[in-house]
Amino acid sequence: MKSNNYKDLLIELIKTNFKIRYNNSVLGFIWVLIRPFATFVILYTVWSAFRGQDIENYQVKLLLGIILFTFIKEGIIFGMNGLLDKAHIILKVNFPREIAVMSSVAMALINLLINLLIFVVFALFNPVDWSLVGYLWFFVVIIGAILFIYGFCLYLSILLIRLRDLQHIFELFFELLFWVTPIFYEVGDQVGQIGGKIGKIISLNPVGMLIDIARDALINGKIATINIWGRDIESIWFVAVLYILAFMIIISGRVFFNSQVKKVAEYF
Amino acid sequence: MQNAVVVENLTKEFYKGHKPKQTFKEYFVNPFKKIDRKKFRAVDDLSFEVKKGEFFGIIGRNGSGKSTLLKMLAGILEPTSGNIEINGKVVPFLELGVGFNPDLTARENVFLNGSILGMKREVIEEKFDEIIAFAEVEEFVDTQVKNFSSGMYVRLAFAIAIQAEADVYLIDEILAVGDLNFQQKCFNLFKELKKQGKTILFVSHDLGAVREFCDRVMYIKFGKKINIGKSRTVVEDYVVNDRKESKETTEGGEIEVDLLNLDSEEQDTIVNNSPVKIRIKYELKPEALDDDLVIGFSIWKDEENYIFGTNSLIEDTKIDFKQKGYVDFVIKDYPFLHGHYDFSAAIHNKEGKNYVWKDNLAKLKVVRNDKHDGLVNMDVEIEQKD
């Protein structure tokens, strides 16, 4: 098969994913928008009553944080289910299985782009410092994240077939992760308010760092520094590490995936 | 001639009886408990070659490993050991339909499946009308396929599969659900594909079709190759073998059949529609007698074609079984035309567990004075208007 055919197949699978997910719902794919927006409304209402007002640009920060967190969560959950969801096809036809995972991860990316539209609307009413550098930097970070997620899902999608618990484990994991990620509070709060060792440990949360960097790039239009235990580190280093890890996990993941994918066929 | 498919010492093992572990609990609840994981070989050390342009049939009973074999050839299952070499592109058509998504419409599924089979979008667009026409679903192009009948489903799947240009087609039991018209269309198409030098591997229980279309046939049983060769010879071998081991058992006793006339005298030949009394003599072991038993017989023509069967349950008669005894079934006029008829008899319970079953217990020859042709006699009168 030529790579051109892969492209067609990838597009068809992404289309199918969308149709299946939103086909029989009245609001259709508007659900993509409703979910993060509803979370935003609740968190904003509750949280601003406590202290939200003193955070600069709280509304846009909160919204973008939720959107980015949703993106990472969906990327991993969708990608992990990439093989299992297509069992009916995988057991009948031989085609490059990686495309099944790829199309599922791509769903998360498409959802992100749709959600960024609400963000843009929001940003019109809230003063945001746009800059081209920040804008580009944002996408560099997102692409790094999606590459990493894809590589990670090459492992997870195979493991899920042998170990269905992963589904529940990851759902729980993301539920907990949401609270230790600076989405509705500021990065400094992790160390400052929570304090002590626990604060220090949870401030190492890489998802938090990633969201923080992406948020700074889009809202403040700058390539910010991240603060790890009192030391300022250029976010460029974080992103460099992200890319290196992403390529490593994709390369090793592909070897693992291709060696295992036929063996798990009888476990579907 | 060049080989299209070469299979060497192919083996596939599955674990028997236990669903493989799939949750943490199963992995950790009792890690020391050795689960009795008996392996069973679905395909056992199979070697064969298929030449380019050949129409190759694979026959065997359910569970003999045919579908597992095709799945390995299609690259869906990984062999436990052995080699498969295929020259050219393979398009599989397995188990009643390619992977359709039931929530998508026929149109959407054509594009999805076409691209899974490696077709380009433009090619699918170009051939779309042809696919829909072949599948005879013109009116339902925008209907979700979950609302399709099984026949429509398979027709559509087949129509797509044949459009994906391939060198080797793997076809598993597709004709079972299609109507006659569609079957004929498929066979015309097979002939066409064969003319183009394509190779077809064909799994079917339709022995007539296998005999008619296949150049060579392989007969497999419990994953092993029993016979391979000219289709006629192999199909006959299968029929004889398969009948022989059909369900015959004598674990619950013994059984015999006598063919008698109405005066209870033995007869092995009847003329025209004469009466036949089928006396089934049995001897039962005590454990069989405890069960709720049914006794019955079946009639076969030329050892191959099953033409009639009944039993005491169907006839709604309660039989009082003894340790040893007989039951008479009387056919008032035997309707079948000239030929040889074989009788099988069995005693089983209402759930279908066989205690005694034997084939070829008696042979009846029918000769006729009239010249009616076919299988069954009918009284025919000719009316003529002035």
Side-chain angles (χ1 to χ4, degrees), chain B residues 206-253:
Chain B
D206 181 351
L207 296 178
V210 170
R211 205 161 15 191
E212 190 179 342
F213 291 100
C214 295
D215 302 312
R216 285 196 308 147
V217 173
M218 177 168 68
Y219 162 28
I220 59 177
K221 187 167 132 188
F222 303 126
K224 287 199 177 78
K225 181 169 74 184
I226 300 293
N227 198 348
I228 187 167
K230 281 241 161 62
S231 49
R232 201 170 184 91
T233 341
V234 179
V235 169
E236 260 158 39
D237 182 29
Y238 168 64
V239 167
V240 171
N241 256 296
D242 195 48
R243 277 271 338 264
K244 224 187 274 164
E245 44 157 310
S246 56
K247 286 166 178 173
E248 280 192 298
T249 174
T250 52
E251 65 175 272

Side-chain angles (χ1 to χ4, degrees), chain B residues 65-211:
Chain B
K66 304 181 300 277
S67 296
T68 308
L69 172 62
L70 281 202
K71 277 191 174 165
M72 284 192 283
L73 292 176
I76 290 162
L77 282 180
E78 176 113 310
T80 309
S81 64
N83 277 320
I84 296 172
E85 196 192 308
I86 294 179
N87 296 314
K89 194 188 156 197
V90 181
V91 162
F93 192 80
L94 307 178
E95 285 171 15
L96 313 182
V98 218
F100 274 157
N101 209 312
D103 286 321
L104 295 184
T105 65
R107 183 191 302 279
E108 290 162 338
N109 265 309
V110 168
F111 281 97
L112 175 62
N113 258 281
S115 33
I116 289 170
L117 293 172
M119 295 164 78
K120 282 190 185 170
R121 199 181 161 83
E122 308 92 75
V123 179
I124 305 174
E125 267 164 11
E126 196 181 296
K127 293 191 168 167
F128 185 79
D129 292 333
E130 203 182 319
I131 291 171
I132 295 298
F134 190 91
E136 302 165 23
V137 292
E138 291 92 339
E139 290 163 53
F140 308 101
V141 172
D142 293 307
T143 308
Q144 291 179 329
V145 297
K146 65 180 171 195
N147 298 325
F148 273 26
S149 73
S150 56
M152 287 158 77
Y153 195 91
V154 170
R155 289 204 302 265
L156 183 61
F158 187 71
I160 302 167
I162 49 145
Q163 290 294 349
E165 299 278 317
D167 306 299
V168 179
Y169 293 84
L170 307 174
I171 296 170
D172 190 357
E173 272 306 340
I174 50 143
L175 302 167
V177 285
D179 55 23
L180 277 177
N181 181 21
F182 183 70
Q183 288 183 11
Q184 198 48 51
K185 231 157 82 174
C186 289
F187 282 120
N188 292 341
L189 192 94
F190 291 159
K191 283 181 191 158
E192 187 57 38
L193 289 174
K194 223 183 123 181
K195 257 188 228 157
Q196 294 168 18
K198 313 278 184 179
T199 311
I200 299 169
L201 270 71
F202 181 64
V203 167
S204 181
H205 289 286
D206 181 351
L207 296 178
V210 170
R211 205 161 15 191

Side-chain angles (χ1 to χ4, degrees), chain B residues 38-53:
Chain B
K38 277 187 192 151
K39 284 177 180 174
F40 113 96
R41 291 193 161 182
V43 171
D44 193 354
D45 200 25
L46 208 57
S47 302
F48 63 93
E49 289 166 2
V50 180
K51 299 222 160 42
K52 199 165 173 289

Side-chain angles (χ1 to χ4, degrees), chain A residues 202-221:
Chain A
I202 62 178
S203 71
L204 286 177
N205 170 4
V207 174
M209 295 179 195
L210 190 129
I211 289 179
D212 206 42
I213 293 170
R215 213 152 45 168
D216 253 344
L218 212 54
I219 295 174
N220 300 327

